[in-house]
Structure formats: C-alpha cells, structure tokens
Amino acid sequence: MKSKLTFLLVPVVAASLQLVPAAFAQPPDKPNRQFQMDRRPRWANLTDEERAKLKAAHQKAMEDPAVRAAQEKLRQARREFREVMRPALLKADPSVQPILEKMRTDRPGRD
C-alpha cells in the first residue's frame, strides 16, 4: 500500500512543481497601443538593413506635403473623436469620471 502511494505521490508532486513558476509569474508588459502588437512581429522578421531602408523611406515620405496634410487630418480626427467619446462615456456611466481624470493626469502635457 505504501509503495502504491509513493508511485502516485511522486508524479503528482513533480507535475505540481512544473506549474509553480507559471502560477507566480507576472504578466508581460502590455504595449501602449494595440497596433504595436501587430507591428512588432513584422519588424522582427526584417533584417537590420531592411529596417533602416524602410525607416529612411518613411522619413522621406513624411517630407511630402500631401502626407503631412493627411497626418494633420488624422490628428484632427482623433481630437474630434475624443471630444465626442468622453461625453458619451460619461453619459453611459457617470461613475467613470474619476477614472478618466486619473488617466488624464497620467499623461502630462496632453488634454
């Protein structure tokens, strides 16, 4: 009887010890923006030369007045979205006001 218990107890203890590190592990840091999660694996697949070439092309494209104008339109659209979303959030649930204020204070220099 004692030997049967040992044969059962040893694998159970061994399996439990395998799970201990996972149980106490901290979750990985989340990126600030969702699109970064999509972009990182794609960048990881590029060589250093390809990354440098793409970065240079991006910088050159940003000098194009049409691209600059489109970027400004994007910024304005984001501002307008925030101006509409915040009141809608408060209308949906007024108790989120302190949460929104906390988020605002976490980002100095931004409204």
Side-chain angles (χ1 to χ4, degrees), residues 6-7 27 30 43 61 72 74 79 83 90-91 94 99-100 108:
T6 304
F7 284 117
K30 293 182 179 178
W43 277 86
E72 186 52 40
L74 177 62
R79 273 187 225 109
E83 289 170 3
L90 293 172
K91 183 179 177 184
I99 299 168
L100 295 174

Side-chain angles (χ1 to χ4, degrees), residues 7 9 11 15 23 60 65:
F7 284 117
L9 190 60
K60 189 171 182 177

Side-chain angles (χ1 to χ4, degrees), residues 61-78:
M62 290 302 295
E63 295 172 5
D64 185 333
V67 173
R68 291 261 185 211
Q71 183 183 38
E72 186 52 40
K73 284 182 185 177
L74 177 62
R75 285 185 183 140
Q76 183 61 33
R78 286 181 177 154

Side-chain angles (χ1 to χ4, degrees), residues 27-66:
D29 292 335
K30 293 182 179 178
N32 293 335
R33 298 183 182 167
Q34 181 67 33
F35 76 89
Q36 288 178 339
M37 289 185 355
D38 296 335
R39 190 172 66 185
R40 285 184 181 155
R42 292 185 293 183
W43 277 86
N45 291 335
L46 301 178
T47 65
D48 289 339
E49 182 182 329
E50 289 170 329
R51 277 188 224 123
K53 191 173 186 177
L54 188 57
K55 187 175 180 179
H58 182 270
Q59 288 173 341
K60 189 171 182 177
M62 290 302 295
E63 295 172 5
D64 185 333

